[in-house]
Amino acid sequence: MSGIAEHKPLIPGLLGSGPAMRRVYQLIRKVAPTDAAVLLVGETGTGKGMVARAVHQLSKRSGGPFIRVNCGALAENLLESELFGHVRGAFTGAVSNRTGRFEAAHTGTVFLDEINSTSPHLQVKLLRVLQDREFERVGDTQTIRVDTRVIAASNVDLVEEVQAGRFREDLYYRLNVVTIYLPPLRERREDIPELVGHFLRQFNQKNNRHVPHVRREAMEALQSYDWPGNVRELQNYIERAVILAPGDEITCDLLPDAVLGRKPPSIGFGRPQDIDRLTQDFVRQALRLKPSNGRLYASIVERVERELISQVLASCDQVQLKAANILGINRNTLHKKLKQFGLD
């Protein structure tokens, strides 16, 4: 049994003092005082949002607003209005003028997370803001000028997106003035004890618990695991262990099977023939209903999709990030599906 020493962050809000993170900190300190656009690249859960905030806080714009927009969480028409605002009557439901995020971030920083999910139309408008610092609200002709720094993030390789024709090359080069690569947790295992210590203190306080120790075997298991969900996955597992711990230490039996190298539990469907049987039942029920609106195909797909997501979530103890990784979809896509199917 061992206690976890408390480390003072090298940059406020960021954790990890190993070589990989020290390189990140070095870039942050160099780029923060400038007005250069910054592109953050890394897997989901590596802390891109925290790095963006650190860049803002260490910049001359720290007294201004820090506005975060998740580009993957909104449909294109909603995202355009969110970013640039709209005027009354611009579209159905636009009952009053609205200020967009770029305008709200004037003199400060706007952080565009998952910028790879933006449409070609929006990419043109983003390029103009980066080049000319101006735009028009949706449905308006009046040009608005802003003094806003842009930090963008992507969890996919934008070079590949450019080559595939899904992302504008000129926008990529505008964003890619300085790129900061956020290493996945498996590439900085030496930081895991520090992260575990931080999350222990955080969740002990949050849940009024006293679990200050981690057994050596448990720490070894945490440092051996590959962490597909990165720091966010580690955070979830430590919170779960703190809540379930019967004593004052984290032991191996409080960690998920995947962390311990065991075969994860079945996602619920069982044998392949069970999946076939379930699908056949859905088809038979849909045919009996004889939908007259031409949605036979959609109704069957929706029911199978809903059941699949429900079963995968159950197998992951309702941890959405892990479920999204298993399903091979973006966590925001999963969140939209949960709302669509009434599973949230």
Side-chain angles (χ1 to χ4, degrees):
M1 182 172 68
S2 63
I4 303 292
E6 186 168 358
H7 294 259
K8 184 178 180 181
L10 297 177
I11 286 186
L14 298 179
L15 295 169
S17 52
M21 288 306 293
R22 285 181 179 272
R23 287 191 288 271
V24 171
Y25 302 151
Q26 185 179 32
L27 276 173
I28 290 173
R29 292 193 181 280
K30 284 185 176 180
V31 73
T34 74
D35 264 341
V38 179
L39 179 62
L40 307 177
V41 180
E43 297 176 7
T44 298
T46 49
K48 297 185 289 295
M50 297 182 71
V51 170
R53 186 173 291 276
V55 171
H56 171 73
Q57 290 174 341
L58 292 174
S59 74
K60 60 187 179 183
R61 297 176 177 268
S62 59
F66 176 81
I67 305 294
R68 178 173 183 165
V69 183
N70 191 325
C71 300
L74 296 170
E76 178 184 352
N77 60 327
L78 295 176
L79 181 57
E80 184 175 8
S81 172
E82 188 77 11
L83 290 173
F84 303 109
H86 64 252
V87 294
R88 180 181 178 182
F91 50 84
T92 303
V95 295
S96 62
N97 293 348
R98 178 178 178 178
T99 299
R101 297 300 184 93
F102 270 99
E103 199 172 345
H106 182 64
T107 72
T109 303
V110 63
F111 172 45
L112 305 177
D113 198 5
E114 297 192 23
I115 195 168
N116 50 286
S117 63
T118 54
S119 67
H121 169 71
L122 272 180
Q123 289 172 27
V124 172
K125 296 195 72 169
L126 289 171
L127 179 63
R128 183 185 173 199
V129 173
L130 282 163
Q131 288 178 332
D132 304 326
R133 306 292 180 182
E134 63 183 29
F135 61 90
E136 288 83 39
R137 291 179 179 177
V138 178
D140 198 5
T141 57
Q142 180 181 351
T143 298
I144 298 172
R145 294 192 60 82
V146 290
D147 175 22
T148 303
R149 183 184 197 170
V150 175
I151 301 176
S154 173
N155 55 11
V156 300
D157 188 340
L158 285 185
V159 173
E160 293 182 0
E161 294 297 291
V162 169
Q163 293 172 346
R166 292 186 292 265
F167 201 83
R168 291 182 63 97
E169 185 175 20
D170 46 5
L171 177 58
Y172 169 71
Y173 286 118
R174 276 288 177 180
L175 292 169
N176 190 32
V177 177
V178 177
T179 296
I180 300 179
Y181 168 69
L182 277 297
L185 192 52
R186 63 183 175 274
E187 292 181 6
R188 56 181 189 110
R189 299 177 192 272
E190 66 278 1
D191 290 335
I192 289 177
E194 181 179 342
L195 290 164
V196 170
H198 170 77
F199 293 139
L200 279 179
R201 289 185 289 273
Q202 176 183 342
F203 295 123
N204 275 317
Q205 181 177 8
K206 175 183 176 182
N207 298 288
N208 195 26
R209 301 279 289 155
H210 180 68
V211 189
H213 305 295
V214 179
R215 188 164 291 181
R216 179 176 56 82
E217 296 85 355
M219 183 61 76
E220 289 175 353
L222 291 171
Q223 289 189 278
S224 299
Y225 182 53
D226 277 343
W227 298 107
N230 293 295
V231 177
R232 195 173 294 127
E233 185 182 10
L234 174 63
Q235 180 180 13
N236 289 339
Y237 290 165
I238 297 302
E239 181 174 19
R240 175 179 181 270
V242 166
I243 292 170
L244 298 179
D248 65 351
E249 67 173 344
I250 304 296
T251 55
C252 285
D253 61 301
L254 296 170
L255 302 177
D257 287 338
V259 174
L260 301 175
R262 301 172 186 161
K263 183 179 179 180
S266 167
I267 64 172
F269 280 127
R271 300 179 302 277
Q273 56 263 38
D274 293 332
I275 303 175
D276 293 340
R277 191 178 305 114
L278 181 65
T279 305
Q280 290 166 9
D281 288 343
F282 285 164
V283 171
R284 282 195 293 269
Q285 292 173 26
L287 288 173
R288 280 200 300 270
L289 293 174
K290 297 180 180 179
S292 59
N293 56 1
R295 294 192 75 254
L296 175 62
Y297 173 81
S299 66
I300 295 172
V301 171
E302 285 174 5
R303 295 190 67 182
V304 173
E305 190 176 18
R306 185 186 191 283
E307 184 67 19
L308 174 62
I309 290 174
S310 177
Q311 295 284 1
V312 171
L313 272 171
S315 76
C316 299
D317 295 326
Q318 306 302 317
V319 178
Q320 293 184 19
L321 179 62
K322 188 174 181 180
N325 288 332
I326 291 174
L327 291 165
I329 61 177
N330 184 277
R331 70 182 187 280
N332 292 307
T333 300
L334 175 60
H335 184 66
K336 291 177 186 176
K337 293 292 184 182
L338 294 176
K339 293 186 70 175
Q340 176 186 344
F341 298 138
L343 296 172
D344 59 339

